[in-house]
Amino acid sequence: MIFAPPMPAELLRLQEYARTLPARARCVIDSNVWIDILVFDDQDSRAIRDALLGGALDAIISTPCRDELAHVLAYPQFAARAVDIAQALAWVDRHTRLLDAPADGAAPRVLPQCRDPDDQKFLELARDGTAHWLISKDKALLRLKPRIARDFGFQIVTAATFSRLSAPPTSPHGPE
């Protein structure tokens, strides 16, 4: 008999949260995760890519977030990978919705300040777009997870955590 390892408390809490979401949850994807999807085909980011391709995620992006992604894609370290920036951005454009104003038009609640000012725009987009998820690897954003979840209702998760949430449940009795 094969037993699944116990789930960490945070993952159990996030699974419970995910069960309350609509079938097509709204998300914001940080530039570092977009790079993993577009440049590196990172294993942890594949669940996000697959959810985007399958229409299971409603990914939103703002002009400042897209501009940052275009800038990052042009970094010299990616030149050796022969990334077609225009093609990569076109893929992102096909799988996201551009949102440059709060979804409900109301005055936005004040967010905590991220230690990295360049990452504040992702928090603002998640808040303004009433996202369920902000997917990032950025430590400055990840430090804000508890406060953001408590005060703003969206979850900040890594691609690896999101992938674990997206994986089919493992039976404690092994394969069926």
Side-chain angles (χ1 to χ4, degrees), residues 31 34-35 38 65-73 89 92:
S31 296
W34 279 121
I35 294 299
L38 299 166
C65 293
R66 188 185 183 284
D67 290 348
E68 178 182 291
L69 177 58
H71 178 75
V72 171
L73 283 167
L89 291 172
V92 169

Side-chain angles (χ1 to χ4, degrees), residues 39 55-56 96 112:
V39 177
T96 60

Side-chain angles (χ1 to χ4, degrees), residues 39 51 59 112 123 137 164:
V39 177
L123 287 171
K137 295 189 320 186
R164 288 184 70 191

Side-chain angles (χ1 to χ4, degrees), residues 35-53:
I35 294 299
D36 284 347
I37 293 169
L38 299 166
V39 177
F40 297 113
D41 187 27
D42 177 73
Q43 182 175 347
D44 288 335
S45 66
R46 287 184 190 146
I48 299 161
R49 181 202 61 211
D50 293 347
L52 291 169
L53 289 170

Side-chain angles (χ1 to χ4, degrees), residues 83-145:
V83 175
D84 182 330
I85 296 171
Q87 185 178 7
L89 291 172
W91 193 93
V92 169
D93 292 344
R94 280 191 309 276
H95 296 93
T96 60
R97 280 188 307 117
L98 184 64
L99 181 76
D100 278 326
D104 62 6
R109 291 180 50 211
V110 177
L111 288 158
Q113 289 299 305
C114 187
R115 287 182 121 168
D116 182 348
D118 287 338
D119 289 324
Q120 194 70 26
K121 63 184 156 285
F122 296 102
L123 287 171
E124 291 167 359
L125 177 58
R127 176 203 59 202
D128 295 349
T130 60
H132 303 104
W133 305 107
L134 169 52
I135 307 169
S136 179
K137 295 189 320 186
D138 189 278
K139 290 179 180 154
L141 285 171
L142 293 168
R143 277 190 202 101
L144 297 172
K145 286 190 309 185

Side-chain angles (χ1 to χ4, degrees), residues 14-28:
L14 289 171
Q15 285 177 328
E16 185 61 33
Y17 170 76
R19 282 192 274 279
T20 69
L21 300 180
R24 193 163 184 252
R26 191 171 306 112
C27 73
V28 171

